[in-house]
Amino acid sequence: MYLTRFRVNTARPGARRLLGSPQRLHAAVMSSFPCLLPSDAQGATAPSGGPRVLWRLDHRARAEVLLYLVSPDRPDLTHLVEQAGWPALADPETPGWETRPYTPFLDRLTTGDRWSFRLTANPVHTIRRTEGEPRKLTAHLTPVHQMGWLLKRQKDAGFQIVEKPDADRLLPGGTTYKTKTEHHGDRYELTVGDQRSRAFDKPGRSAPSGRKPRPVTLVTVTFEGRLDVTDPQLLRRTLTQGLGRAKAYGCGLLTLAPLARTA
């Protein structure tokens, strides 16, 4: 497994085209692996359900956008450097991206470890407006429900979100209730932000005769916080297979970082 970081040159027209379409960026990411045939690129996962290609965009600032990849094979991002990087500065020693082996880090994970984490995800659920109507997949749009979406998945993902000490909670117990809906806003070391709604065309999507296919609509949010490792094996699976839906479009990649030191 490999972890890769690429800084996008947002001033270039090619970069703006890629950033404007998750479909284009997905195709560009999958083109980084010579071993993948075009027919394999859409799934981006092994037939056995093993590690897959995951990617995520981190918008640190307007002019600082980082692309992260986790992949079973080492990528070649030469084409991305030419389209959306700094090709004049590239050389064999610094080709325009950084790739490091990821497996040694994964192997060191142990129960009880505490990490900072970052995850961009597509929190969704199914609803039925009327009795007998087929259930429809729809996005969670409020931070409370988006947070609940992640909390419901933490056990099966091999981690537990850290709870705040009572002294650090603004609300009594950190949790309030309204119409039987749990609000987690002050209970956990967890924030939800950078909500984005994107609509884009997906090649090959069919529609009734004479009509234009409806675009794919994708709502994403970014979670940040602290977690404890509860099951290293499950967490390794989460880190290499992703969490949630829309993995082909930049969702599901969970990354860990050491906790910031405090004085």
Side-chain angles (χ1 to χ4, degrees):
M1 296 298 299
Y2 295 90
L3 175 65
T4 300
R5 181 176 66 181
F6 169 76
R7 185 183 173 197
V8 180
N9 184 350
T10 57
R12 303 196 65 184
R16 293 194 291 270
R17 283 194 295 271
L18 290 174
L19 295 177
S21 170
Q23 178 68 35
R24 288 197 194 102
L25 189 50
H26 165 71
V29 166
M30 301 315 300
S31 297
S32 305
F33 303 95
C35 59
L36 279 179
L37 298 174
S39 58
D40 300 329
Q42 186 63 30
T45 184
S48 61
R52 60 178 293 155
V53 177
L54 300 168
W55 61 272
R56 186 184 77 217
L57 284 173
D58 281 4
H59 297 261
R60 302 292 180 85
R62 185 173 182 179
E64 186 180 8
V65 179
L66 301 176
L67 172 66
Y68 287 92
L69 279 73
V70 166
S71 56
D73 303 304
R74 182 182 290 272
D76 181 349
L77 305 187
T78 302
H79 61 299
L80 279 176
V81 174
E82 294 170 349
Q83 294 178 61
W86 287 266
L89 301 179
D91 59 54
E93 296 295 324
T94 55
W97 70 90
E98 300 173 80
T99 297
R100 296 181 180 179
Y102 201 33
T103 303
F105 170 78
L106 297 174
D107 291 342
R108 290 197 300 269
L109 292 173
T110 57
T111 302
D113 287 349
R114 179 167 291 186
W115 299 90
S116 295
F117 74 90
R118 187 178 180 94
L119 166 71
T120 295
N122 171 226
V124 295
H125 64 125
T126 58
I127 61 171
R128 180 187 290 130
R129 293 188 177 90
T130 60
E131 188 67 28
E133 181 187 51
R135 299 191 72 88
K136 179 182 177 181
L137 194 68
T138 186
H140 285 301
L141 297 178
T142 65
V144 167
H145 293 99
Q146 292 161 350
M147 193 177 296
W149 176 90
L150 180 60
L151 292 169
K152 288 178 181 177
R153 286 157 178 77
Q154 59 180 342
K155 181 178 179 180
D156 291 339
F159 63 85
Q160 182 174 346
I161 307 296
V162 176
E163 293 195 24
K164 293 180 180 179
D166 289 340
D168 294 341
R169 299 179 183 180
L170 299 178
L171 299 172
T175 307
T176 61
Y177 293 86
K178 184 178 181 181
T179 63
K180 298 182 180 180
T181 299
E182 188 173 2
H183 291 245
H184 312 278
D186 195 42
R187 182 177 176 181
Y188 297 92
E189 296 279 357
L190 177 63
T191 61
V192 185
D194 196 25
Q195 178 168 311
R196 296 171 183 264
S197 181
R198 310 290 295 275
F200 55 95
D201 295 327
K202 182 178 179 180
R205 195 177 194 193
S206 60
S209 178
R211 297 183 182 180
K212 183 180 179 181
R214 295 182 63 182
V216 176
T217 301
L218 185 67
V219 175
T220 65
V221 296
T222 299
F223 299 96
E224 292 185 278
R226 297 182 177 187
L227 61 78
D228 290 329
V229 180
T230 56
D231 188 319
Q233 189 60 32
L234 287 178
L235 183 55
R236 291 185 193 105
R237 185 184 68 183
T238 301
L239 293 170
T240 57
Q241 296 185 27
L243 185 62
R245 301 173 64 92
K247 298 182 183 72
Y249 301 120
C251 297
L253 174 54
L254 174 72
T255 52
L256 307 180
L259 297 177
R261 293 184 178 181
T262 57

